[in-house]
């Protein structure tokens, strides 16, 4: 029995030692292989396999996944459109007037909502005038227009520290022509994100 | 004397670079009253003057050009003032090149016969770069010398010498001084650039002093003529800067919102007033000479803009929308009392207080086009000076109160024009590409 036990112990030790030796050899091989090109190929192959597996998986759950993805895309598109609308939709004014029309209020109500949904965004409101009237007065009028837009947004709950105003008077017309249509386009408030 | 190295002493001394001497009748005669000019409207009747070519006194061949040019500078200067009418040289019966330039050489009948009430004779001596001028003013009807002047200086200073003579003449006949030493600042827009440009009173020697891609507006001379305040978007928003002539500008006034329409308050040693919207409302503030808010001057909800002060600094004209449309108001600074000045029309802006203190020029808009008007500070005797000629804006008075410079779109793009304070003699100030707007006329002695 004793001999048998001793033989077993010796055998165990041998096994352990040989195992340790094998593992360390394997490690060495790994290192050398990683340094060579072989293993990269292997990794790439593995990747391909994983990809195949993924595709296969997607095919399997396509209905749900696609719907979700489409939904996300639609949300993004809508988000982008809302932002573009916020930036591109101007508010227009009457001649020598800084008060907000009903239409202007509707537009600003949407803008206030967008600003509430995006509390990280800061905005610059630009006040512009048409070429009629004098440069000095129009510079003040442009500021008045920007301020009246700002006041509306602040009253709608937007923190005033998020809103800056600037007047360009009659110096930056969008339409340089000298007629009623051009003037109407030029009497405007514009929105610029910081 | 003229060989002293004065010319090297710098621009500030340029004005002293030539000398002048006067001779003629004793002072008591010189101060005698003449009735050439109708004081209430001096431009109704211009005094007819004959200005023959100057006589070349040394080496005539080389001087002929200078003599002709000298006489032209004199005619242009007198014409520009609006008080004189120059009789065409083709009508002259006498040739001074042969007869001489002194009273004893002249037959005054030959001059009064062609309608000249005044005759100016000139002699020119040239020594290399130096020049000596003798100018004499004669009353052809009385047949007497009114005054004579002798000037010495560099040939480059000839314009200034002759303008000195013009200035003496205008003062003699109208009591007004300062036009011929003054300059005009304006904004020139050309090829995407906005520049602040300064030229002589008559549009000569335009010189760009600030140029920027940024919007630049509202240049205003300081009472000492050494600084120009203006609004610029150079740092992204409308701020007021002050340009020291001959030195770099520095940001001065930058509160939240607009910092616009700066002007200087006479008799305060450099205080300015401007429109700021720092309170959320466009109001006019008095500013210290370092640009800090000294005091809020207006207190009315709605636009208050474009201050212009009476010459003694006690009252301020400005534009306010407090009655529903932009109108000119006058505020007494001591008491704070405000009275409305303009009632005619629904858009009256850009007041400019006359140097004599009795009138205010402004622009009045109807159907999208503005015209320059003048009104007494008591609200009486309103006169419209421009009509049916594009949009006429931004009036500014010459320091002697005799002329008004303004911008007009009468020939398409906005350009600068000059007219007499009665609205006569409207003519372009200068001819340069691009748009020229927002002129301001310097006080009598602008720094160069």
């Amino acid at each position: 029995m004793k001999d048998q036990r001793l033989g077993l112990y010796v055998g165990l030790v041998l096994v352990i030692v040989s195992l340790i030796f094998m593992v360390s050899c394997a490690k060495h091989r790994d290192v050398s292989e990683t340094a060579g090109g072989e293993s990269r190929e292997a990794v790439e192959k593995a990747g391909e396999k994983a990809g195949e597996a993924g595709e296969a998986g997607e095919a399997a759950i396509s209905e749900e996944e696609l719907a979700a993805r489409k939904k996300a895309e639609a949300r993004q598109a809508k988000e982008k459109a809302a932002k573009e609308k916020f930036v591109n939709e101007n508010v227009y004014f009457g001649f020598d007037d800084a008060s907000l029309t009903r239409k202007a209020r509707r537009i600003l109500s949407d803008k206030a909502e967008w600003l509430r949904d995006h509390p990280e965004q800061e905005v610059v409101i630009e006040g512009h005038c048409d070429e009629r009237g004098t440069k000095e007065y129009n510079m003040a009028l442009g500021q008045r227009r920007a301020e009246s837009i700002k006041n509306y947004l602040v009253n709608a709950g937007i923190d005033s520290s998020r809103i800056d105003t600037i007047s360009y008077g009659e110096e930056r017309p969008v339409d340089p022509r000298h007629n009623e249509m051009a003037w109407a386009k030029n009497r405007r408030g514009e929105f610029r994100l910081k | 004397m003229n060989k002293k190295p004065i010319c090297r002493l710098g621009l500030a001394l340029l004005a002293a670079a030539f000398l002048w001497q006067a001779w003629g009748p004793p002072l008591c005669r010189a101060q005698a009253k003449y009735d050439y000019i109708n004081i209430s409207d001096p431009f109704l009747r211009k005094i007819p003057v004959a200005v023959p070519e100057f006589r070349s006194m040394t080496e005539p061949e080389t001087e002929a050009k200078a003599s002709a040019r000298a006489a032209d500078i004199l005619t242009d200067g007198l014409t520009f003032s609006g008080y004189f009418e120059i009789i065409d040289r083709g009508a002259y019966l006498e040739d001074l090149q042969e007869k001489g330039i002194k009273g004893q050489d002249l037959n005054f009948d030959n001059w009064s016969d062609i309608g000249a009430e005044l005759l100016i004779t000139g002699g020119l001596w040239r020594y290399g770069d130096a020049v000596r001028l003798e100018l004499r003013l004669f009353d052809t009807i009385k047949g007497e010398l009114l005054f004579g002047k002798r000037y010495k200086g560099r040939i480059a200073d000839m314009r200034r010498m002759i303008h000195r003579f013009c200035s003496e003449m205008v003062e003699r006949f109208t009591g007004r001084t300062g036009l011929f030493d003054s300059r005009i600042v304006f904004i020139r827009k050309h090829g995407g650039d906005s520049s602040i440009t300064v030229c002589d009173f008559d549009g000569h020697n335009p010189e760009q002093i600030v140029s920027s891609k940024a919007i630049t507006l509202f240049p205003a001379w300081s009472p000492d003529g050494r600084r120009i305040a203006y609004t610029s978007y150079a740092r992204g928003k409308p701020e007021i800067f002050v340009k020291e002539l001959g030195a770099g500008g520095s940001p001065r006034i930058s509160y939240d919102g607009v910092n616009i329409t700066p002007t200087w308050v006479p008799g305060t040693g450099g205080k300015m007033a401007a429109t700021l919207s720092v309170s959320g409302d466009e109001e006019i503030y008095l500013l210290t000479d370092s640009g800090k808010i000294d005091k809020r001057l207006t207190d009315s909800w709605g636009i208050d803009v474009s201050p212009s002060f009476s010459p003694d600094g006690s009252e301020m004209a400005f534009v306010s929308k407090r009655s529903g449309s932009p109108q000119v108001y006058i505020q007494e600074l001591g008491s704070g009392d405000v009275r409305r000045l303009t009632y005619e029309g629904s858009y009256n802006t850009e007041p400019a207080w006359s140097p004599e203190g009795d009138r205010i020029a402004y622009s009045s808009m109807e159907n999208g086009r503005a015209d320059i008007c003048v009104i007494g500070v008591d609200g009486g005797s309103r006169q419209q000076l421009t009509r049916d000629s594009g949009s006429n804006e931004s009036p500014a008075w010459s320091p002697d109160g005799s002329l008004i410079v303004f911008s007009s779109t009468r020939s398409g793009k906005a350009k600068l024009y000059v007219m007499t304070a009665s609205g006569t003699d409207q003519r372009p100030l200068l001819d340069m590409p691009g748009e020229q707007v927002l002129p301001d006329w310097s006080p009598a002695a602008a720094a160069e």
Side-chain angles (χ1 to χ4, degrees), chain B residues 159-427:
Chain B
R159 226 175 91 83
R160 296 181 62 88
M161 298 181 211
I162 293 167
H163 283 157
R164 180 69 66 89
F165 188 83
C166 292
S167 192
E168 303 254 354
M169 262 183 82
V170 168
E171 185 176 4
R172 168 75 64 116
F173 292 106
T174 69
R176 289 174 159 163
T177 57
L179 171 66
F180 292 90
D181 292 325
S182 65
R183 307 183 85 194
I184 294 169
V185 64
F186 56 93
I187 300 294
R188 178 184 180 206
K189 291 185 187 173
H190 186 50
D193 283 354
S194 283
S195 72
I196 300 180
T197 303
V198 172
C199 65
D200 289 355
F201 71 98
D202 56 356
H204 279 69
N205 302 323
E207 184 192 349
Q208 181 178 301
I209 59 164
V210 174
S211 178
S212 173
K213 294 273 175 214
I215 298 168
T216 310
L217 300 161
F218 316 135
W221 289 99
S222 65
D224 64 3
R226 296 181 181 280
R227 285 164 289 168
I228 293 169
Y230 61 98
T231 292
S232 166
Y233 284 62
R235 303 199 317 182
K237 54 173 286 207
E239 298 169 304
I240 294 171
F241 293 75
V242 175
K243 172 81 181 167
E244 300 269 349
L245 292 182
S250 55
R252 289 285 295 270
I253 296 140
S254 176
Y255 293 96
D256 277 353
V258 292
N259 299 265
I260 56 172
T261 67
T263 191
W264 304 76
V265 189
T268 57
K271 278 189 187 175
M272 280 190 274
T275 295
L276 312 178
S277 66
V278 60
S279 69
D281 186 30
E282 296 72 31
E283 299 283 357
I284 298 168
Y285 292 80
L286 190 64
L287 304 161
T288 66
D289 53 4
S290 60
K292 297 271 176 298
I293 290 177
D294 181 341
K295 191 175 167 188
R296 177 163 158 176
L297 294 178
T298 56
D299 189 4
S300 143
W301 182 249
I303 294 170
D304 290 310
V305 71
S306 302
S308 173
F309 288 82
S310 62
D312 64 2
S314 69
E315 291 180 292
M316 171 181 77
F318 65 103
V319 172
S320 177
K321 212 190 169 184
R322 58 190 68 187
S323 63
S325 64
Q327 298 290 346
V328 179
Y329 291 76
I330 292 180
Q331 180 167 339
E332 206 179 299
L333 295 184
S335 63
D337 290 348
V338 176
R339 65 179 195 274
R340 181 170 163 179
L341 181 69
T342 55
Y343 285 91
E344 213 167 311
S346 58
Y347 193 109
N348 296 312
T349 63
E350 302 182 310
W353 211 305
S354 75
E356 283 156 330
D358 57 338
R359 287 181 292 172
I360 287 172
Y362 62 98
S363 68
S364 178
M365 191 175 69
E366 214 175 315
N367 302 322
R369 284 180 174 182
D371 278 303
I372 309 294
C373 297
V374 168
I375 192 169
V377 291
D378 57 358
S381 50
R382 176 186 182 276
Q383 269 183 294
Q384 183 181 333
L385 302 186
T386 61
R387 63 186 73 240
D388 306 326
S389 54
S391 197
N392 302 282
E393 300 177 16
S394 312
W397 296 85
S398 65
D400 66 347
S402 64
L403 301 174
I404 293 173
V405 63
F406 59 102
S407 72
S408 176
T409 58
R410 60 188 62 184
S411 63
K413 276 186 182 161
K415 303 274 180 191
L416 300 185
Y417 290 79
V418 174
M419 62 184 166
T420 67
S422 313
T424 63
D425 304 275
Q426 299 189 11
R427 60 241 136 101

